[in-house]
Short mmCIF file of all heavy atoms in Angstrom, two decimals:
data_model
loop_
_atom_site.label_atom_id
_atom_site.label_comp_id
_atom_site.label_asym_id
_atom_site.label_seq_id
_atom_site.Cartn_x
_atom_site.Cartn_y
_atom_site.Cartn_z
N GLN A 25 -19.55 10.25 -26.31
CA GLN A 25 -18.57 10.31 -27.39
C GLN A 25 -18.59 11.72 -27.96
O GLN A 25 -19.66 12.25 -28.26
CB GLN A 25 -18.90 9.30 -28.48
CG GLN A 25 -18.82 7.88 -28.01
CD GLN A 25 -19.23 6.90 -29.09
OE1 GLN A 25 -19.64 7.28 -30.18
NE2 GLN A 25 -19.13 5.62 -28.79
N TYR A 26 -17.41 12.31 -28.10
CA TYR A 26 -17.28 13.69 -28.53
C TYR A 26 -16.39 13.79 -29.76
O TYR A 26 -15.46 13.01 -29.92
CB TYR A 26 -16.63 14.54 -27.43
CG TYR A 26 -17.51 14.78 -26.24
CD1 TYR A 26 -17.55 13.89 -25.18
CD2 TYR A 26 -18.32 15.91 -26.17
CE1 TYR A 26 -18.35 14.10 -24.09
CE2 TYR A 26 -19.14 16.12 -25.07
CZ TYR A 26 -19.15 15.22 -24.04
OH TYR A 26 -19.95 15.45 -22.96
N LEU A 27 -16.66 14.78 -30.59
CA LEU A 27 -15.76 15.19 -31.65
C LEU A 27 -15.01 16.40 -31.09
O LEU A 27 -15.64 17.39 -30.71
CB LEU A 27 -16.53 15.58 -32.91
CG LEU A 27 -15.69 16.16 -34.04
CD1 LEU A 27 -14.73 15.11 -34.58
CD2 LEU A 27 -16.59 16.67 -35.15
N THR A 28 -13.68 16.29 -30.99
CA THR A 28 -12.88 17.31 -30.33
C THR A 28 -11.92 17.98 -31.31
O THR A 28 -11.24 17.31 -32.07
CB THR A 28 -12.07 16.69 -29.18
OG1 THR A 28 -12.99 16.12 -28.25
CG2 THR A 28 -11.22 17.72 -28.47
N TYR A 52 -9.37 22.30 -25.55
CA TYR A 52 -10.17 21.35 -26.32
C TYR A 52 -11.58 21.91 -26.47
O TYR A 52 -12.21 22.28 -25.48
CB TYR A 52 -10.27 19.99 -25.62
CG TYR A 52 -9.06 19.12 -25.69
CD1 TYR A 52 -8.81 18.20 -24.70
CD2 TYR A 52 -8.18 19.17 -26.76
CE1 TYR A 52 -7.71 17.36 -24.75
CE2 TYR A 52 -7.07 18.35 -26.82
CZ TYR A 52 -6.84 17.45 -25.82
OH TYR A 52 -5.75 16.62 -25.86
N ASN A 53 -12.07 21.93 -27.69
CA ASN A 53 -13.44 22.31 -27.98
C ASN A 53 -14.14 21.05 -28.49
O ASN A 53 -13.76 20.51 -29.51
CB ASN A 53 -13.49 23.40 -29.06
CG ASN A 53 -12.65 24.59 -28.67
OD1 ASN A 53 -13.02 25.31 -27.77
ND2 ASN A 53 -11.51 24.76 -29.30
N SER A 54 -15.18 20.60 -27.77
CA SER A 54 -15.78 19.30 -28.09
C SER A 54 -17.28 19.42 -28.31
O SER A 54 -17.97 20.16 -27.61
CB SER A 54 -15.54 18.32 -26.94
OG SER A 54 -14.17 18.19 -26.69
N LEU A 55 -17.77 18.64 -29.28
CA LEU A 55 -19.18 18.57 -29.63
C LEU A 55 -19.67 17.15 -29.37
O LEU A 55 -19.06 16.18 -29.84
CB LEU A 55 -19.38 18.93 -31.11
CG LEU A 55 -20.79 18.85 -31.65
CD1 LEU A 55 -21.66 19.92 -31.00
CD2 LEU A 55 -20.79 19.03 -33.16
N LEU A 56 -20.76 17.01 -28.61
CA LEU A 56 -21.29 15.70 -28.24
C LEU A 56 -21.86 15.00 -29.47
O LEU A 56 -22.66 15.56 -30.21
CB LEU A 56 -22.39 15.86 -27.19
CG LEU A 56 -23.04 14.59 -26.69
CD1 LEU A 56 -22.04 13.77 -25.88
CD2 LEU A 56 -24.26 14.91 -25.85
N LEU A 57 -21.42 13.75 -29.71
CA LEU A 57 -21.97 12.93 -30.79
C LEU A 57 -23.04 11.98 -30.26
O LEU A 57 -24.12 11.87 -30.81
CB LEU A 57 -20.86 12.13 -31.47
CG LEU A 57 -19.75 12.95 -32.11
CD1 LEU A 57 -18.67 12.03 -32.66
CD2 LEU A 57 -20.30 13.85 -33.20
N GLU A 81 -29.63 14.11 -20.82
CA GLU A 81 -29.21 15.00 -19.75
C GLU A 81 -27.83 15.62 -19.98
O GLU A 81 -27.39 16.45 -19.21
CB GLU A 81 -29.18 14.22 -18.43
CG GLU A 81 -30.50 13.59 -18.08
CD GLU A 81 -30.37 12.57 -16.96
OE1 GLU A 81 -29.30 11.97 -16.82
OE2 GLU A 81 -31.35 12.39 -16.24
N THR A 82 -27.14 15.19 -21.02
CA THR A 82 -25.75 15.59 -21.25
C THR A 82 -25.66 16.86 -22.08
O THR A 82 -26.36 17.00 -23.09
CB THR A 82 -24.99 14.45 -21.95
OG1 THR A 82 -25.26 13.24 -21.25
CG2 THR A 82 -23.52 14.70 -21.97
N ALA A 83 -24.77 17.77 -21.69
CA ALA A 83 -24.57 19.03 -22.41
C ALA A 83 -23.96 18.76 -23.79
O ALA A 83 -23.15 17.85 -23.95
CB ALA A 83 -23.67 19.96 -21.62
N ILE A 84 -24.31 19.56 -24.77
CA ILE A 84 -23.86 19.36 -26.15
C ILE A 84 -22.41 19.80 -26.34
O ILE A 84 -21.66 19.19 -27.09
CB ILE A 84 -24.80 20.09 -27.13
CG1 ILE A 84 -26.18 19.43 -27.08
CG2 ILE A 84 -24.24 20.08 -28.53
CD1 ILE A 84 -27.24 20.16 -27.84
N LEU A 85 -21.99 20.85 -25.65
CA LEU A 85 -20.63 21.37 -25.80
C LEU A 85 -19.81 21.11 -24.54
O LEU A 85 -20.32 21.18 -23.43
CB LEU A 85 -20.65 22.87 -26.07
CG LEU A 85 -21.33 23.31 -27.37
CD1 LEU A 85 -21.39 24.83 -27.44
CD2 LEU A 85 -20.61 22.75 -28.57
N LYS A 86 -18.53 20.79 -24.74
CA LYS A 86 -17.61 20.60 -23.62
C LYS A 86 -16.33 21.37 -23.93
O LYS A 86 -15.77 21.25 -25.01
CB LYS A 86 -17.29 19.11 -23.45
CG LYS A 86 -16.31 18.82 -22.32
CD LYS A 86 -16.09 17.34 -22.10
CE LYS A 86 -15.17 16.77 -23.13
NZ LYS A 86 -14.71 15.41 -22.86
N GLU A 87 -15.89 22.18 -22.98
CA GLU A 87 -14.64 22.94 -23.11
C GLU A 87 -13.68 22.46 -22.04
O GLU A 87 -14.07 22.24 -20.90
CB GLU A 87 -14.89 24.43 -22.94
CG GLU A 87 -15.81 25.05 -23.97
CD GLU A 87 -15.23 25.04 -25.37
OE1 GLU A 87 -14.01 25.27 -25.50
OE2 GLU A 87 -15.99 24.78 -26.31
N ALA A 88 -12.42 22.28 -22.42
CA ALA A 88 -11.43 21.80 -21.46
C ALA A 88 -10.06 22.38 -21.79
O ALA A 88 -9.78 22.74 -22.93
CB ALA A 88 -11.36 20.27 -21.49
N THR A 114 -11.85 19.82 -17.38
CA THR A 114 -12.99 20.44 -18.06
C THR A 114 -13.41 21.72 -17.34
O THR A 114 -13.34 21.82 -16.13
CB THR A 114 -14.20 19.49 -18.16
OG1 THR A 114 -14.58 19.09 -16.85
CG2 THR A 114 -13.87 18.27 -19.00
N PHE A 115 -13.87 22.68 -18.13
CA PHE A 115 -14.37 23.96 -17.60
C PHE A 115 -15.89 23.95 -17.50
O PHE A 115 -16.47 24.66 -16.70
CB PHE A 115 -13.97 25.13 -18.50
CG PHE A 115 -12.49 25.25 -18.74
CD1 PHE A 115 -12.00 25.46 -20.01
CD2 PHE A 115 -11.58 25.15 -17.71
CE1 PHE A 115 -10.65 25.59 -20.25
CE2 PHE A 115 -10.22 25.27 -17.93
CZ PHE A 115 -9.76 25.50 -19.21
N THR A 116 -16.54 23.18 -18.35
CA THR A 116 -18.00 23.19 -18.44
C THR A 116 -18.60 21.99 -17.71
O THR A 116 -17.96 20.97 -17.52
CB THR A 116 -18.45 23.15 -19.91
OG1 THR A 116 -17.83 22.03 -20.55
CG2 THR A 116 -18.06 24.42 -20.64
N ASN A 117 -19.86 22.14 -17.30
CA ASN A 117 -20.60 21.08 -16.63
C ASN A 117 -20.94 19.99 -17.65
O ASN A 117 -21.34 20.27 -18.77
CB ASN A 117 -21.89 21.66 -16.04
CG ASN A 117 -22.62 20.68 -15.15
OD1 ASN A 117 -22.20 19.56 -14.94
ND2 ASN A 117 -23.75 21.14 -14.63
N TYR A 118 -20.80 18.72 -17.26
CA TYR A 118 -21.13 17.59 -18.14
C TYR A 118 -22.63 17.53 -18.42
O TYR A 118 -23.05 17.08 -19.46
CB TYR A 118 -20.66 16.29 -17.47
CG TYR A 118 -20.93 15.06 -18.27
CD1 TYR A 118 -20.13 14.73 -19.36
CD2 TYR A 118 -21.97 14.20 -17.95
CE1 TYR A 118 -20.37 13.59 -20.11
CE2 TYR A 118 -22.21 13.05 -18.67
CZ TYR A 118 -21.41 12.75 -19.76
OH TYR A 118 -21.65 11.62 -20.50
N PHE A 119 -23.44 18.01 -17.47
CA PHE A 119 -24.89 17.95 -17.60
C PHE A 119 -25.45 19.27 -18.11
O PHE A 119 -24.86 20.32 -17.93
CB PHE A 119 -25.53 17.60 -16.26
CG PHE A 119 -25.14 16.26 -15.75
CD1 PHE A 119 -24.21 16.14 -14.73
CD2 PHE A 119 -25.68 15.12 -16.28
CE1 PHE A 119 -23.84 14.90 -14.25
CE2 PHE A 119 -25.31 13.87 -15.82
CZ PHE A 119 -24.38 13.76 -14.81
N LYS A 120 -26.66 19.19 -18.68
CA LYS A 120 -27.36 20.40 -19.11
C LYS A 120 -27.73 21.21 -17.88
O LYS A 120 -27.95 20.68 -16.80
CB LYS A 120 -28.64 20.03 -19.87
CG LYS A 120 -28.38 19.38 -21.20
CD LYS A 120 -29.68 19.05 -21.89
CE LYS A 120 -29.42 18.43 -23.24
NZ LYS A 120 -30.66 18.01 -23.90
N ASN A 121 -27.82 22.51 -18.05
CA ASN A 121 -28.14 23.41 -16.93
C ASN A 121 -29.62 23.73 -16.85
O ASN A 121 -30.42 23.33 -17.67
CB ASN A 121 -27.34 24.71 -17.08
CG ASN A 121 -25.85 24.48 -16.89
OD1 ASN A 121 -25.44 23.64 -16.11
ND2 ASN A 121 -25.04 25.21 -17.63
N ALA A 136 -21.03 17.98 -12.84
CA ALA A 136 -19.87 17.09 -12.96
C ALA A 136 -18.85 17.74 -13.87
O ALA A 136 -19.17 18.19 -14.96
CB ALA A 136 -20.29 15.74 -13.54
N PHE A 138 -14.60 17.10 -15.06
CA PHE A 138 -13.64 16.01 -15.09
C PHE A 138 -12.21 16.51 -15.12
O PHE A 138 -11.91 17.53 -15.70
CB PHE A 138 -13.85 15.13 -16.33
CG PHE A 138 -15.23 14.56 -16.42
CD1 PHE A 138 -16.16 15.09 -17.30
CD2 PHE A 138 -15.61 13.51 -15.61
CE1 PHE A 138 -17.43 14.57 -17.37
CE2 PHE A 138 -16.87 12.99 -15.68
CZ PHE A 138 -17.79 13.51 -16.56
#
Side-chain angles (χ1 to χ4, degrees):
Q25 296 176 356
Y26 290 87
L27 174 65
T28 300
Y52 283 153
N53 305 289
S54 303
L55 178 67
L56 181 68
L57 300 176
E81 302 167 332
T82 311
I84 294 172
L85 297 175
K86 179 176 78 169
E87 298 294 322
T114 58
F115 304 134
T116 54
N117 188 1
Y118 181 77
F119 297 103
K120 292 180 179 176
N121 292 326
F138 302 104

